[in-house]
Amino acid sequence: MKSIPLLLTLFFAAIVSVNAQEPIRHTVFKKQPINFGGQKGTDSEAVSLMSGRLAYKKVTVPTFRKGTDVKVKLTVRSNGDRWDKSGSCFVVSDPKKLSILSITEKETKFPKDSYVDDKYAGFVAGENYNPTVELMRFMTPFGVGFYSDNKVKNRRPVYIPTWEKQVVWEHDITDLESLVTGTFYVGVWIDSWTAEGYDFDLELIYSNRKQQKVTVLPLVNTIPYVGGQQIPDNFAHKDLEKIFNLKKNVKNVKLHYITTGHGGHSGGDEFIKLKNSVYFDNKLVLDTIPWRDDCASFRRFNPTSGVWVRKDSASYINSKTNKYEIKEIEERIASSDLSRSNWCPGSSVEPMVVKLSDLKAGSHALKIKIPATPVDGDKLNHWLVSAYLTYEE
């Protein structure tokens, strides 16, 4: 007869075995092309918009009554596009409201209350319109994959043994669980203007572990995903303000804020430090200069990055005198090495999260202030900004 301690051990082991579940992995896209006027791919469920620059799909996954952890995993490869491009993985979850998808497919205009300054369509939530919620902001590297087999000669630095074949990002999006369970639409946009473009894989991963359920309220998204939307240089002209109403008191409110600056010239918003000031109900809640100075660490993803040399100095020990001496050298600098406004070629962009505590029902105001540079000819300065609230009801 087995001893009682052993029986208890076996009993609890059985419980753990029953309750321990493998994560549910849902592959949304596999090698789906994104380009401008190029191949559409073979996935019959994928819908392409804007000449192939945006692809989306209707997805149905289980609804987790007790909540769940969720992760999004995105893999990107160049199909021949040499450049770094802005990208966004997004979700549209409320088919009763207008969205960039329904407006584009029905060839209708954005509602007036979705405009900023009567010029920038679809940037803010309206009475019957929701801007998309970003699951992940990312930036493609220069030519990863297609040019990773030494098609581009004499560019690989000695400190990189080989070019990466693809770039992979994974984000925890548990706060967005209510948008990515049940039936919804998920898509990817890349600002590619070449017929070669990119291809990507997209996977959603659900742990099925109990999590606190929260509600998501979309507020702002300045990414020009589709036709009728302008390059968002609006911050150069006026602060973005959005007034909205809460129907009931809510708890544990968080503001999620994603921001990147763009404009590829040396004085453009991509390469200058600009403060982002975010106000909620007239109170400054976020005051930061979004900046990345670690872009050189992504060099292995950027085989087609532009490279030039600059003069520098280096110290060495003279073997005859046994003393340090200085000599002039030429140092190679890659475009992908340069610091940028909250992103690097090959990086994803994490949301900044601000805790707002509890909020009463009624009117509330969000204001975003960026002293940005306007579009000027081919100087396409702009800021891609999205914001949403999460809260418990």
Side-chain angles (χ1 to χ4, degrees), residues 23-239:
I24 298 173
R25 309 181 77 97
H26 185 90
T27 298
V28 183
F29 290 103
K30 194 72 174 178
K31 293 187 177 180
Q32 173 63 36
I34 286 262
N35 51 51
F36 182 68
Q39 294 182 354
K40 293 184 177 181
T42 58
D43 188 339
S44 61
E45 297 180 358
V47 181
S48 293
L49 300 178
M50 302 307 296
S51 299
R53 300 174 73 237
L54 183 153
Y56 80 91
K57 183 184 287 189
K58 185 177 182 180
V59 175
T60 299
V61 299
T63 299
F64 299 85
R65 186 172 56 86
K66 296 182 179 181
T68 179
D69 298 316
V70 190
K71 291 182 178 180
V72 58
K73 182 179 180 181
L74 181 66
T75 303
V76 171
R77 296 164 293 266
S78 170
N79 263 340
D81 196 315
R82 293 171 173 262
W83 310 105
D84 59 331
K85 295 295 183 182
S86 304
S88 176
C89 176
F90 63 86
V91 60
V92 173
S93 62
D94 189 350
K96 297 177 184 178
K97 285 199 169 187
L98 295 172
S99 70
I100 59 168
L101 306 182
S102 57
I103 289 172
T104 302
E105 291 181 329
K106 295 178 182 178
E107 298 183 347
T108 59
K109 295 183 179 180
F110 284 90
K112 284 298 182 183
D113 60 0
S114 76
Y115 277 69
V116 169
D117 302 338
D118 297 322
K119 178 181 178 181
Y120 304 93
F123 281 11
V124 296
E127 183 177 353
N128 193 41
Y129 169 82
N130 273 346
T132 66
V133 174
E134 287 193 274
L135 303 180
M136 183 189 296
R137 175 84 56 82
F138 62 94
M139 303 294 156
T140 72
F142 289 90
V144 72
F146 189 85
Y147 296 99
S148 296
D149 59 356
N150 296 316
K151 287 188 178 75
V152 181
K153 303 297 184 183
N154 302 320
R155 288 184 180 267
R156 182 165 54 82
V158 294
Y159 57 84
I160 295 177
T162 185
W163 296 116
E164 296 289 342
K165 299 297 184 184
Q166 58 191 14
V167 60
V168 182
W169 305 286
E170 189 172 303
H171 280 202
D172 187 319
I173 56 167
T174 300
D175 281 339
L176 301 178
E177 177 266 345
S178 64
L179 303 186
V180 292
T181 53
T183 299
F184 53 93
Y185 298 87
V186 65
V188 171
W189 165 85
I190 296 178
D191 192 24
S192 175
W193 292 99
T194 69
E196 296 81 13
Y198 303 83
D199 70 53
F200 70 92
D201 308 331
L202 180 64
E203 184 178 34
L204 295 169
I205 306 164
Y206 304 85
S207 71
N208 201 18
R209 290 190 297 264
K210 182 179 179 181
Q211 285 288 339
Q212 173 66 50
K213 283 183 169 288
V214 297
T215 299
V216 182
L217 180 63
L219 294 176
V220 173
N221 193 333
T222 71
I223 295 175
Y225 294 100
V226 296
Q229 295 189 290
Q230 302 293 320
I231 292 176
D233 68 336
N234 52 296
F235 293 104
H237 307 293
K238 190 177 179 181
D239 300 342

